[in-house]
Amino acid sequence: MPRQERPYRVIISGGGTGGHIYPAVAIANRLREVNPEAEILFVGAQGRMEMTRVPEAGYKIVGLWISGLQRRLTLDNLSFPLKVLKSVRASHKIIKDFKPDAVVGVGGYASGPLLYAATSRGIPALIQEQNSYAGITNKLLAKRVQKVCVAYPGMEAFFPADKIVLTGNPVRSDIMNLEGKREEALQHFGLSTEKKTILVIGGSLGARTINQSIAANLQSIADAGCQLIWQTGKAFFSQAQELEAKYKTEGIRALDFITRMDLAYAAADAVVSRAGALSISELCLAGKPAVLVPSPNVAEDHQTKNAMALVQQEAALLVRDSESMEKLVPKALQLLEDEKEQQRLHQNILKMACPNAATDIVNELVKLIK
């Protein structure tokens, strides 16, 4: 793509979880490569993780007073209409002051009001849907935007077919290049080069069932002569630290959050993971044999649908959340023993990778701006 002279002005909106934030940052990074002087503003939801993660990535963010509708009657639900009105009004002011050439929505609470305000002012807009089952915000916005970038085929069930572009999910670029990083990775986590390694990731906020299943079966992992990189999330971290101290010599490493995900993947022989869209996209690019445990606590059970897209291609293994206590660790250890199975999963999951997702999305964005 030729470099552009005029600096583009773009707002990227959404967040709530790493699954929305990291694709948004990957899009921003790619836009900066194409248009180095680009002015990029993020709009998130006050109190959500994007308010810290986005500035850490070097971008400015503004927060809206918005949250989602709870499935049960709560005070938050009663204030929801007021929050929407205030957020739409705040979004109009942000757009008036920033004067964007285009806006991007990545899903999450903040993208609704911001894209509603932008499209009502005739500003070109694009949404990026990470999952194989579309979120409600994106389904509502699809009628108003020009393009919908999706990660899975068959999304005509949710969006107008003429607006859909199949791009895949953008991920952090360091994950695309794991070659030759294994020794550095094991050293980084203080692990042995002699043992096989399981990486456990429960998503950016942690996963209680996965954490409990690992905690209850640490002895089996130690007995099998395996080591563990265990991302617990904040809520379970203190409990995991106590267990880590007990098993320190066995190579159990508990972390509440992993900054160097490239090294975590490079160290891993097998991965245990939730089936969030971002995790799956990263696993595909890293080509890692994986046991997926879809979260049952997500809208429309979309993580099971994400996982099944891989399982049906024989590109990953599946353990149901309700069965993870008995089945998860045995299945992961069995996978570590079976090199043939690892190779098969590795080859099949690599076929599903979309390494150019950020570039393809930015290409669509540039077309809208022009």
Side-chain angles (χ1 to χ4, degrees), residues 37-342:
E37 301 301 309
E39 289 282 332
I40 301 166
L41 176 68
F42 279 75
V43 176
Q46 287 170 13
R48 304 291 290 188
M49 72 185 277
E50 58 266 27
M51 301 309 290
T52 52
R53 294 279 173 251
V54 168
E56 282 169 10
Y59 294 98
K60 191 181 168 201
I61 187 165
V62 180
L64 298 176
W65 183 51
I66 187 74
S67 58
L69 267 172
Q70 307 301 311
R71 289 177 192 183
R72 57 195 190 283
L73 188 63
T74 64
L75 282 174
D76 248 10
N77 276 0
L78 296 175
S79 63
F80 182 72
L82 177 64
K83 286 182 176 180
V84 171
L85 286 172
K86 286 200 78 161
S87 292
V88 170
R89 195 174 300 155
S91 296
H92 274 290
K93 184 169 180 353
I94 290 166
I95 288 157
K96 200 174 146 205
D97 294 346
F98 188 77
K99 301 179 179 62
D101 297 307
V103 298
V104 177
V106 294
Y109 307 140
S111 65
L114 192 284
L115 267 78
Y116 178 85
T119 51
S120 64
R121 286 169 169 261
I123 291 162
L126 170 157
I127 54 179
Q128 197 251 330
E129 173 56 64
Q130 295 97 18
N131 291 295
S132 60
Y133 195 99
I136 189 161
T137 307
N138 278 352
K139 279 194 278 193
L140 293 170
L141 291 170
K143 299 177 184 73
R144 304 177 66 90
V145 306
Q146 281 73 32
K147 286 286 169 204
V148 182
C149 295
V150 300
Y152 293 90
M155 297 299 282
E156 298 80 7
F158 309 104
F159 303 124
D162 59 334
K163 293 183 180 183
I164 293 175
V165 187
L166 180 62
T167 57
N169 280 323
V171 303
R172 296 164 274 200
S173 53
D174 54 4
I175 286 159
M176 295 185 211
N177 188 16
L178 302 179
E179 209 59 47
K181 283 189 184 176
R182 183 176 160 79
E183 273 197 33
E184 181 200 343
L186 291 167
Q187 205 175 341
H188 177 83
F189 292 105
L191 296 172
S192 158
T193 51
E194 305 300 311
K195 290 180 166 186
K196 288 189 172 168
T197 307
I198 303 174
L199 168 64
V200 175
I201 36 177
S204 51
L205 306 172
R208 193 175 55 186
T209 321
I210 292 180
N211 285 334
Q212 288 170 342
S213 305
I214 297 296
N217 289 281
L218 280 178
Q219 193 59 54
S220 311
I221 293 168
D223 290 346
C226 298
Q227 51 197 8
L228 181 69
I229 301 169
W230 182 12
Q231 188 218 289
T232 63
K234 278 200 171 68
F236 201 84
F237 184 52
S238 56
Q239 207 174 324
Q241 274 182 307
E242 287 172 26
L243 291 164
E244 180 191 49
K246 195 175 157 189
Y247 287 94
K248 195 82 178 176
T249 55
E250 307 289 353
I252 307 292
R253 299 287 175 268
L255 305 109
D256 61 339
F257 185 79
I258 298 175
T259 341
R260 291 294 305 270
M261 275 310 293
D262 58 324
L263 294 183
Y265 284 120
D269 295 289
V271 181
V272 168
S273 176
R274 280 295 193 212
L278 180 73
S279 302
I280 284 191
S281 298
E282 289 184 348
L283 287 167
C284 291
L285 281 166
K288 291 291 167 177
V291 181
L292 301 174
V293 187
S295 169
N297 311 313
V298 292
E300 312 291 353
D301 196 23
H302 69 249
Q303 286 205 5
T304 299
K305 297 176 176 86
N306 291 348
M308 288 313 293
L310 266 66
V311 173
Q312 281 157 4
Q313 299 299 317
E314 299 188 356
L317 305 175
L318 177 83
V319 169
R320 302 255 168 220
D321 190 82
S322 58
E323 300 175 332
S324 74
M325 205 56 124
E326 310 82 64
K327 295 186 178 176
L328 179 56
V329 169
K331 192 150 214 166
L333 292 175
Q334 191 184 339
L335 176 58
L336 276 190
E337 286 301 300
D338 190 341
E339 302 227 342
K340 216 175 188 175
E341 177 76 325
Q342 284 175 46

